[in-house]
């Protein structure tokens, strides 16, 4: 009886099964953490591309609204901006009211590694510049006719 009690008291280490189980739990935890880091990096890149597309689309729409660019249907390529090249299209349609235009700017990049393009649309309503020119011409003609 003393020999069994002596063995129980002197055994202080871990068995091979306990070591294997601890290593398996550690490996599984590291695999899960690695996947979480990879998912976070992918989401971060996607958010950065979407923010860049939004910035570019808003800039093009603001240029058109300010009169720096004509409100006409067109498309083009924005030179290297950030880590990718961007393509934009501008579509101009008559608005719901006479004299208003609906300007839709779409910005998109080439396919990324996941095969999903980043696309962003901005639709902005604005007064038709041609209407403003026609009103100014009509007012000038009315003044000239009144003066004569």
């Amino acid at each position: 009886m003393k020999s069994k009690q002596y063995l129980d008291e002197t055994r202080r280490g871990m068995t091979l099964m306990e070591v294997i189980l601890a290593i398996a739990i550690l490996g599984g935890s590291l695999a899960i953490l690695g996947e979480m880091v990879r998912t976070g990096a992918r989401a971060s890149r996607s958010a950065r591309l979407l923010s860049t597309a939004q910035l570019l689309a808003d800039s093009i729409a603001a240029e058109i609204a300010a009169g720096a660019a004509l409100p006409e249907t067109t498309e083009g390529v924005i030179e290297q901006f950030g880590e990718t090249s961007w393509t934009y299209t501008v579509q101009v349609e008559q608005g719901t009211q006479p004299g208003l235009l609906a300007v839709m700017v779409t910005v998109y990049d080439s396919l990324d590694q996941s095969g999903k393009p980043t696309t962003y649309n901005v639709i902005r309503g604005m007064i038709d510049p041609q209407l403003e020119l026609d009103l100014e011409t009509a007012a000038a003609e009315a003044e000239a006719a009144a003066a004569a």
Side-chain angles (χ1 to χ4, degrees):
M1 185 106 137
K2 279 190 168 189
S3 64
K4 185 174 180 189
Q5 189 178 25
Y6 176 76
L7 286 176
D8 289 339
E9 289 176 2
T10 59
R11 184 176 156 232
R12 301 205 192 284
M14 296 174 58
T15 65
L16 180 60
M17 185 58 110
E18 291 171 334
V19 170
I20 291 173
L21 183 62
I23 290 173
I25 291 171
L26 177 66
S29 300
L30 290 176
I32 290 171
L33 287 174
E35 185 63 28
M36 289 173 61
V37 167
R38 190 171 68 91
T39 301
R42 191 179 328 134
S44 171
R45 182 177 189 280
S46 175
R48 185 175 59 250
L49 288 174
L50 188 59
S51 295
T52 302
Q54 181 180 7
L55 172 75
L56 293 172
D58 286 339
S59 296
I60 293 169
E63 286 177 7
I64 293 171
L70 293 175
E72 59 187 11
T73 300
T74 185
E75 64 181 69
V77 175
I78 300 170
E79 294 301 319
Q80 188 75 19
F81 189 89
E83 61 189 44
T84 184
S85 294
W86 296 89
T87 305
Y88 70 92
T89 60
V90 177
Q91 295 177 342
V92 180
E93 299 175 357
Q94 274 303 81
T96 56
Q97 300 292 323
L100 291 179
L101 296 177
V103 178
M104 182 170 82
V105 179
T106 304
V107 175
Y108 55 93
D109 70 342
S110 58
L111 298 176
D112 62 4
Q113 290 104 2
S114 67
K116 249 174 64 175
T118 301
T119 303
Y120 187 79
N121 294 321
V122 171
I123 299 175
R124 181 177 248 175
M126 61 180 285
I127 297 174
D128 189 354
Q130 187 62 43
L131 178 67
E132 290 178 353
L133 291 174
D134 292 345
L135 290 175
E136 289 175 5
T137 305
E141 289 174 357
E143 283 181 17

